[in-house]
Every structure is written in structure tokens, then in C-alpha cells.
Amino acid sequence: MSAGDAQVSWEGRFLEDFKVGDRYRHSHGRTITQTDNTWFTLLTNNTHDIHYNADYASRTEFGRPLVVSTLTLAIVTGLSVDDVSRNAVANLGWDDIVLSAPVFAGDTIYAESEVLEVRPSRSRPGQGIVRVHTRGFNQDGVTVLEYDRTVLVYSRDARP
């Protein structure tokens, strides 16, 4: 195969690739370990014992340490990057974040997103606003997190 025959790998979606109602089941899952949870707890200075003190957590209704909710948010967002924000200029916000079930070390998290809105930017030529609803769920299909996310995305012709 010559260099001219090489196929381009997945570049992600550009503004014109998003259509309201499209749904993406994101291709990867991520198993969360207690080490991930402890490191994230330390990195973010989250000092609640429920996340890293097994003795304390054993006396709660959960019976074991909970994964930090913002780690779950970060992982679910990361799982969606290839489909939603690979070509983002910037994240503009997360809205209506709902934590519907606990996440524990050993859970594998998956995600899917549905496109809610797509429009060109009024002030930034070659860019546009994409809003999606993303759902994170565990290995048993239980929804653990949902949110709406708004992203500023390049059009194909304006990409850097």
C-alpha cells in the first residue's frame, strides 16, 4: 500500500455530522478500581471518608466505599469524546446532572449519547453548538449518571 492509499482513521464528528435524534453507543467501557477512586479523592481533596475509608463505609447503607461522583462524571464524559467532542473547540457546560445509582470499585461504566440540538454559532464562523443528553450505565445496564452537555464544535472546513 502506498502512502496515498492509506485510509484516514476515525476523526470524530464535525458540526455538520451531528443530527438531532442521532444516538451513539460509545465504543469503550471503563472498569473503575479502588486505586482510581483513591487517587481521584486525593487529587481533588475530597476528604469524605465514604470514598477511601473502608471501615467507615462498611457502617453506611452502602457497606463499602463509593466511587467519587465527579470521577464517574469525568469517566462518562471521557467515554463520549470520540463521538461527541473529538473536534470540540470547548466544553460550554454540563446541565441537569443526575446521579441515579451508586458506583463502586469493580464496576464497569459504559455510556451513550443522544443529540438534542445542533446549530451554527452566531458569533463564531466555522463553529457551532451541539447539545447532547448522555447516560452512563454499569455492567448490569443500571443507569448511574445522566446529564446534558453543550459543546462548541468545529465545522469540517474550519478545523485547525
Side-chain angles (χ1 to χ4, degrees), residues 13-90:
R13 288 179 177 80
F14 292 93
L15 181 63
E16 55 270 30
D17 299 321
F18 291 95
K19 304 291 182 250
V20 172
D22 282 355
R23 295 175 63 98
Y24 315 125
R25 169 74 189 260
H26 307 302
S27 61
H28 299 287
R30 173 65 156 77
T31 302
I32 302 173
T33 68
Q34 187 55 45
T35 300
D36 297 328
N37 193 38
T38 300
W39 285 355
F40 196 84
T41 298
L42 295 170
L43 285 169
T44 59
N45 291 311
N46 183 334
T47 59
H48 195 304
D49 282 336
I50 193 73
H51 301 302
Y52 61 89
N53 180 332
D55 177 53
Y56 172 86
S58 72
R59 293 180 270 126
T60 70
E61 66 185 271
F62 304 105
R64 56 189 166 147
L66 292 173
V67 168
V68 178
S69 56
T70 50
L71 174 57
T72 304
L73 175 62
I75 288 172
V76 170
T77 300
L79 291 171
S80 74
V81 166
D82 278 348
D83 292 312
V84 174
S85 57
R86 170 75 53 215
N87 293 300
V89 178

Side-chain angles (χ1 to χ4, degrees), residues 1-7:
M1 175 187 296
S2 69
D5 294 335
Q7 294 187 7

